[in-house]
Amino acid sequence: MRRVVLALVLLGTLTARAEAQEVAPTAAAPVDDPLSIYVLTFGPGDHPFFMFGHDALLVRDRAAGTDRVFNFGTFSFDSPRLIFDFLKGRLTYWLSVSSLSVTLASYEHENRSIVAQQLALAPEAKRALVARLEENARPENRAYKYDYFLDNCSTRVRDAVDRATDGALRASASEPARLTLRQQALRMTSRSAWFSLALDVVLAGAADRPIDRWAEMYIPEELEAGLRAVAVGGRPLVASEQTIFRASRPEPPHEPPSRFVSLLLVGLALGVLFVALGWAAPLSRAARAGFGLVVAAWGLVTGFIGSFLVYVWGFTDHVVAHRNENIFLCAPWAFALAVLGLGVTFGSRRATLAALRVSVSALLFALLGWGLKALPAFRHQDNAALIALLVPAWIGLSAGLLHARHSG
């Protein structure tokens, strides 16, 4: 009941503010036109799926007494294929229609900001937009293959508004973007260090190529800003704008955090740790056992990452992760260390020598990837921070195994 009351209050607030802040009526937007179109921008949430924010279109028909929210970001958390489809890059989303009161209450409950921008569209443009949305929302038309960077809730709203303005939004967004796809993703996920790092590893050079403001609008916050820059018929596209709910969480930073120095220090610390354990291995069974377990864990993690990047490139539709140069830094065959590390634990010289060969080959592979950055074909991907993390670690592991071969 409390949520219903809150939603009604918010609904009344939206109505009152829209009426108070609407621009002066013109011939293209008569004051008695009962149809109003709003772009709703919802701020980031806590779940990794929600950290980028969300967009929807609100259609208010005062003649019919309806407020319908057209939401392109609907999917099923309960689907048994959710994880499989996510990994394959084949998530199915669909366009749903819900009431404004339910929508506002849901996002307020999740502590996500809500901004409404009323669009100054001509009556015929509004009707055409609503007709397309209604046709798109039909069961046979509503589903689409979701892509977090190229085809999502924000780009679908962007495209709908652009068509309603006869391309005015696209024309206004031709200048170079403020950030790349990667930089936008890293700034939006900066509250979760591990998730942000995972994204940095998985994204390939396609996420670092220069883009324009149009492509940058895959982020709802950027679409919100882009709408303010559009003029249609000599007047601003955004007739009025209001914040319906302001979240208590901090807003995402304007720029992605710089992590080169911190990851370099972590890489150096790992390298020193590997060297110290390797040198202590011949002197103590406990040190040898600890070193072997560390070798096994390192091989398991880096081998899995490298194998996963190969899988994503060769067998999924995640195009922004194809041809990922981080494969050089995490050699897929490092998986062998997960087994050989156990041999190191038990003092097997044969296993230790084999682990040394695997580690040195992985190090040489990482150095090759680093060296290839001198070639134009390998300059696109921004992975300097990951090179700073992983190359020192591989050097330290190889040096530690070189000395540990005398144990047993």
Side-chain angles (χ1 to χ4, degrees):
M1 179 60 69
R2 185 186 70 85
R3 294 184 192 176
V4 173
V5 172
L6 175 62
L8 292 174
V9 172
L10 291 174
L11 177 58
T13 301
L14 177 58
T15 303
R17 290 180 177 176
E19 291 175 350
Q21 299 181 30
E22 193 167 0
V23 295
T26 67
V31 70
D32 58 349
D33 183 4
L35 199 60
S36 300
I37 308 293
Y38 297 81
V39 172
L40 300 178
T41 302
F42 305 96
D46 294 323
H47 192 281
F49 278 23
F50 304 149
M51 284 187 174
F52 289 82
H54 181 55
D55 272 321
L57 284 166
L58 166 64
V59 175
R60 162 167 292 160
D61 189 337
R62 288 187 292 274
T66 59
D67 289 284
R68 295 178 294 167
V69 176
F70 288 81
N71 179 1
F72 288 98
T74 311
F75 70 102
S76 176
F77 260 120
D78 301 328
S79 171
R81 294 179 53 86
L82 178 64
I83 300 301
F84 177 77
D85 288 342
F86 172 74
L87 292 176
K88 296 288 288 185
R90 297 170 188 170
L91 277 176
T92 297
Y93 277 54
W94 61 88
L95 173 60
S96 65
V97 185
S98 59
S99 70
L100 178 62
S101 59
V102 171
T103 301
L104 295 181
S106 173
Y107 283 92
E108 187 277 338
H109 179 70
E110 295 174 0
N111 189 28
R112 299 176 65 178
S113 296
I114 306 170
V115 174
Q117 294 173 296
Q118 184 178 8
L119 304 182
L121 298 173
E124 58 273 17
K126 297 177 190 178
R127 289 192 294 271
L129 173 58
V130 173
R132 288 191 294 269
L133 289 172
E134 291 173 340
E135 178 66 20
N136 196 172
R138 293 174 63 87
E140 65 270 24
N141 301 330
R142 65 183 185 176
Y144 69 100
K145 190 177 76 170
Y146 188 88
D147 187 290
Y148 283 96
F149 297 89
L150 306 176
D151 193 358
N152 64 15
C153 63
S154 184
T155 64
R156 291 260 163 166
V157 170
R158 176 201 68 187
D159 295 348
V161 173
D162 183 59
R163 186 172 179 181
T165 59
D166 293 326
L169 177 56
R170 181 70 179 89
S172 72
S174 59
E175 70 273 13
R178 187 173 64 86
L179 299 172
T180 63
L181 297 179
R182 181 191 304 275
Q183 290 170 332
Q184 285 286 2
L186 296 186
R187 82 174 181 89
M188 296 302 296
T189 59
S190 59
R191 288 187 294 110
S192 174
W194 287 109
F195 182 54
S196 183
L197 179 61
L199 269 180
D200 206 8
V201 171
V202 170
L203 293 178
D208 298 303
R209 297 181 184 276
I211 57 174
D212 56 15
R213 288 284 298 146
W214 175 259
E216 197 174 28
M217 290 178 189
Y218 86 95
I219 299 291
E221 178 184 302
E222 297 297 335
L223 175 58
E224 178 188 328
L227 293 174
R228 301 189 189 110
V230 183
V232 178
R235 61 196 179 97
L237 173 61
V238 177
S240 65
E241 180 174 329
Q242 50 276 333
T243 298
I244 305 304
F245 176 77
R246 191 179 300 279
S248 58
R249 66 166 52 85
E251 294 185 358
H254 192 62
E255 303 280 345
S258 176
R259 295 183 300 195
F260 180 86
V261 174
S262 59
L263 290 184
L264 175 61
L265 292 175
V266 171
L268 292 172
L270 286 172
V272 170
L273 174 64
F274 293 157
V275 170
L277 288 174
W279 277 72
L283 308 176
S284 164
R285 286 186 178 181
R288 184 180 65 203
F291 183 48
L293 292 175
V294 167
V295 170
W298 181 257
L300 185 65
V301 171
T302 56
F304 171 79
I305 292 174
S307 300
F308 180 74
L309 295 180
V310 171
Y311 161 78
V312 170
W313 182 2
F315 303 99
T316 78
D317 295 343
H318 292 291
V319 294
V320 294
H322 292 177
R323 197 183 175 275
N324 195 324
E325 295 174 21
N326 292 328
I327 295 172
F328 286 108
L329 304 176
C330 298
W333 61 85
F335 248 136
L337 294 175
V339 176
L340 295 173
L342 299 180
V344 175
T345 297
F346 292 106
S348 169
R349 291 185 179 180
R350 188 173 181 177
T352 304
L353 285 171
L356 174 61
R357 295 188 188 99
V358 171
S359 180
V360 170
S361 66
L363 169 60
L364 293 176
F365 198 49
L367 292 174
L368 172 63
W370 187 11
L372 287 174
K373 304 294 285 185
L375 301 178
F378 291 87
R379 291 177 185 170
H380 298 295
Q381 186 164 336
D382 181 10
N383 63 343
L386 296 174
I387 292 174
L389 169 66
L390 292 162
V391 168
W394 280 119
I395 293 174
L397 185 66
S398 298
L401 283 167
L402 181 66
H403 194 77
R405 75 188 192 282
H406 298 299
S407 64

